[in-house]
Amino acid sequence: PWGDQAIPVRWEDPAGSIESLPQALAGRPAVTGVAALGDRTTFLASLFAERAGVRFHPPHATDAANNKFLAKERFRAAGLPQPAFVRFPLTPT
């Protein structure tokens, strides 16, 4: 719908957006790079790059970059020193 040949995607539906990309890319030059601007776009960009065989951050890394608790868990699992932390629910139980 845009004059710049952008491909519309649904950030809230990464899997569906990825599945629609082959059709959207048909007849276009090969993709040689991926750029993501902002937190919401990074995960979808990582899925696309993985599928297209383009170097980018893997999806599991973008998940951790957008989730402080997950990042701390991964740092701890990798043996990196971490200050003590606890996760609390945001809603009362």
Side-chain angles (χ1 to χ4, degrees):
W2 303 283
D4 63 0
Q5 300 180 358
I7 298 170
V9 294
R10 296 186 183 273
W11 306 113
E12 69 278 0
D13 181 19
S17 292
I18 289 300
E19 292 305 317
S20 69
L21 283 174
Q23 181 182 0
L25 293 172
R28 294 178 182 232
V31 175
T32 59
V34 173
L37 305 172
D39 293 341
R40 290 183 64 197
T41 62
T42 311
F43 181 68
L44 184 55
S46 68
L47 291 174
F48 175 73
E50 185 176 67
R51 169 138 333 157
V54 176
R55 289 181 55 145
F56 195 72
H57 308 289
H60 67 86
T62 61
D63 279 345
N66 289 317
N67 181 319
K68 189 178 280 191
F69 179 75
L70 183 57
K72 288 178 172 289
E73 287 288 305
R74 293 203 177 147
F75 293 154
R76 182 170 37 199
L80 297 171
Q82 290 290 307
F85 62 93
V86 178
R87 186 175 187 182
F88 292 100
L90 294 176
T91 56
T93 57

